[in-house]
Amino acid sequence: MTQYDVFNGDADGLCALIQMRLAEPMEDAVPVTGVKRDISLLKRVEAVSGDRVLVLDISLDKNRAPLEGMLRRGVSVTYIDHHFAGELPTEGGLDALIDPDPHTCTSLLVNQRLEGQFAHWAVVGAFGDNMNRPATELAAQVGLSEAETATLKELGVCLNYNGYGTSLEDLHFDPAFLYEKLHHYGTPFAFIEGEPEIYRQLLDGYREDMARAGAVAARLAEPDIAVFELPDEVWACRISGVFGNRLANAHPERAHAVLTHNRDGGYTVSVRAPAVRKEKADELCRQFPTGGGRQGAAGINHLPPEALDGFIAAFRETYRTA
Ligand SMILES: [Mn+2]
């Protein structure tokens, strides 16, 4: 029997898996992950009858064909996620915990399932997905001080930041390497204590890239929407999603799109719904062939330059308030 652990390479995916493997250690499990935007992960798993697959924080709808193949072959699949799933397959062998509520995330769903055993890691994952309210509430519930909560928030943001990039080479750390380093630690505080160099590199990289992004002026700024275009640099790919979260937090009434240049001559787009109305980002992005995501945060992997005006028009229409 082989156990495969398939997880999104962002903070939420990482912290969800850390919790699951602290609860049920399996040193032989095969990790399968990638950059945050690489969500077609299940097709890389060649599981056979009797194998077990754990899937965390990637859309079921985007992995439907390989999932159905596995279930037909007699693979047992545990699927925990908060992205758009569509209809769940009805074949046996699927244990699914899926909740697309815009105020939850995979780390929080895992925390529920494990009855709060590793809640500190869930707090990190939730902050990483910019679920600031539920993360702060959970932190208070488990007795963390304000300073401790701030430390976990910063770690979550930095781990999430590390997941962005067009390819693994753009990242400071391969998410599989981070998982290897992190998952032995029962709490994120123990990780910070035990791996000061990794922690420092994540924080420094995040701060440098954010400072560069903060110096970029909006390409378009209206009361309901703003569009930022970052330069064609590796750092811009890394910071794009976290920069979008920061804009959303700073201007909660406004929707934001962050454009970065991709290697196919087009744009990669990160969309953040207004923080006060986390809706429609996924619907907007799914109008474009490589778009997907959640109600509050979504993206388009490749927007051809000639489609940019159409995107901006659809973006404006989606979030028009007057
Ligand atoms: Mn997530």
Side-chain angles (χ1 to χ4, degrees), residues 103-139:
H103 302 288
T104 194
C105 63
T106 307
S107 287
L108 291 173
L109 293 171
V110 168
N111 181 58
Q112 280 169 27
R113 176 174 275 226
L114 299 178
E115 298 176 336
Q117 287 181 72
F118 306 101
H120 292 181
W121 281 118
V123 170
V124 174
F127 274 126
D129 259 14
N130 205 33
M131 303 281 167
N132 292 331
R133 189 145 41 103
T136 307
E137 282 167 7
L138 178 58

Side-chain angles (χ1 to χ4, degrees), residues 8 10 12-13 36 57 81-83 104-107 125 129 131 294:
N8 191 311
D10 72 358
D12 190 27
K36 181 182 172 83
D57 202 39
D81 185 46
H82 66 129
H83 297 89
T104 194
C105 63
T106 307
S107 287
D129 259 14
M131 303 281 167
R294 298 180 276 108

Side-chain angles (χ1 to χ4, degrees), residues 46-69:
E46 286 173 26
V48 296
S49 178
D51 287 346
R52 287 169 48 181
V53 180
L54 171 64
V55 192
L56 299 167
D57 202 39
I58 54 173
S59 163
L60 186 151
D61 196 51
K62 298 266 178 184
N63 288 277
R64 181 176 302 278
L67 173 63
E68 287 175 347

Side-chain angles (χ1 to χ4, degrees), residues 239-272:
I239 204 67
S240 59
V242 184
F243 181 52
N245 289 342
R246 194 174 75 162
L247 292 167
N249 296 337
H251 306 276
E253 307 280 341
R254 198 166 76 176
H256 294 86
V258 178
L259 312 174
T260 49
H261 295 262
N262 65 26
R263 274 155 216 176
D264 304 316
Y267 298 102
T268 295
V269 187
S270 278
V271 174
R272 297 292 177 271

Side-chain angles (χ1 to χ4, degrees), residues 10 17 31 46 137 148 154 179 194 199 256 300:
D10 72 358
L17 181 57
E46 286 173 26
E137 282 167 7
E148 288 168 328
E154 190 171 50
Y179 171 70
Y199 179 61
H256 294 86
I300 302 169

